[in-house]
Amino acid sequence: MNAETRSEIFGRLLKKIPEPTTELNYSTPFELLVAVTLSAQATDKSVNKVTDELFPLANTPETIYELGEDVVRDTIRTIGLFNSKAKHIVQACKILIDKYDSKVPETRKELEALPGVGRKTANVVLNTAFGHPTIAVDTHIYRVANRTAIASGKTVLEVEKKLVKFIPDEYRVPAHHLMILHGRYTCKARSPLCPECILLDLCEYEEKNL
């Protein structure tokens, strides 16, 4: 796939989704960090239900740390891995309070040093909260990148590096959510909606569902 085709793809996606953003509910970088940490192996919908209960109780590093691991765990127990997530969130709060004046750091290295924060979570926070041109390759982005041939790769990291390299500069920031939303609602895993896809003529997927 050449640069012109990639540019056309993202141009079409941005016309269809003019304000692409996460479907997680948040109002501050810290709330986003907590929500994304909770989203591992969980749906955005299930995370939003939990944070709708948690954030009115506590939505800063200080207040969540004061709440304590037991209360956090009980509040989030409807989502997967709630034990480890509660532990990591409270530990991260302590670090943010002690080291960062309760502010979320704005570098990948500092974010990844927080408990429960991996490369994908760090990339989401950098892109969504701070507007950095990062790509957090989840299952939707991995699928869309490989199916369309925007950036083919056998590993998540390989796809991420190719996307950062190949996506035109003007689409670097919105590309993350454009691809997620396209994968979630059109380029679905089992039954992609190829006939109504705005990228049909540009996509290189050989097994189009027509």
Side-chain angles (χ1 to χ4, degrees):
M1 180 174 288
N2 59 39
E4 288 183 9
T5 302
R6 290 190 182 94
S7 184
E8 178 65 19
I9 282 175
F10 286 104
R12 289 186 190 182
L13 287 175
L14 196 57
K15 283 182 181 178
K16 182 181 179 184
I17 313 169
E19 296 182 1
T21 190
T22 181
E23 293 185 314
L24 292 169
N25 294 335
Y26 78 100
S27 58
T28 66
F30 175 71
E31 286 187 359
L32 179 65
L33 176 63
V34 172
V36 178
T37 301
L38 292 172
S39 71
Q41 298 183 37
T43 65
D44 287 359
K45 194 172 183 179
S46 66
V47 172
N48 287 338
K49 285 183 180 179
V50 163
T51 55
D52 283 349
E53 291 185 30
L54 177 63
F55 291 159
L57 293 174
N59 67 342
T60 65
E62 290 89 352
T63 53
I64 285 186
Y65 186 71
E66 287 172 9
L67 213 57
E69 189 178 323
D70 289 345
V71 177
V72 173
R73 182 173 57 247
D74 288 343
T75 308
I76 69 169
R77 69 168 54 249
T78 56
I79 62 173
L81 308 175
F82 62 89
N83 281 310
S84 60
K85 288 175 181 178
K87 181 179 180 180
H88 289 153
I89 287 169
V90 173
Q91 288 176 337
C93 286
K94 178 63 171 167
I95 294 170
L96 292 175
I97 293 166
D98 292 345
K99 192 172 181 180
Y100 298 105
D101 194 28
S102 297
K103 294 182 175 63
V104 176
E106 207 172 323
T107 71
R108 181 186 283 112
K109 183 178 180 180
E110 289 172 313
L111 285 167
E112 287 186 10
L114 296 173
V117 178
R119 185 180 182 90
K120 186 169 76 171
T121 297
N123 278 340
V124 172
V125 172
L126 290 171
N127 178 273
T128 307
F130 300 118
H132 291 205
T134 56
I135 304 286
V137 179
D138 69 351
T139 181
H140 299 298
I141 291 181
Y142 185 81
R143 180 173 65 254
V144 170
N146 275 289
R147 272 185 181 169
T148 59
I150 292 171
S152 301
K154 294 182 179 179
T155 67
V156 165
L157 186 58
E158 184 182 359
V159 169
E160 179 192 328
K161 288 182 176 179
K162 285 186 176 180
L163 285 170
V164 171
K165 179 181 179 181
F166 293 141
I167 292 173
D169 290 347
E170 64 267 35
Y171 301 116
R172 284 272 170 80
V173 174
H176 171 73
H177 289 112
L178 287 173
M179 294 181 73
I180 286 177
L181 294 170
H182 183 66
R184 185 171 289 165
Y185 296 111
T186 302
C187 195
K188 300 179 181 182
R190 294 185 179 179
S191 301
L193 306 180
C194 298
E196 59 190 72
C197 179
I198 59 171
L199 308 179
L200 182 62
D201 59 317
L202 304 175
C203 175
E204 296 182 14
Y205 186 41
E206 293 181 357
E207 300 175 29
K208 290 174 181 171
N209 186 28
L210 300 174

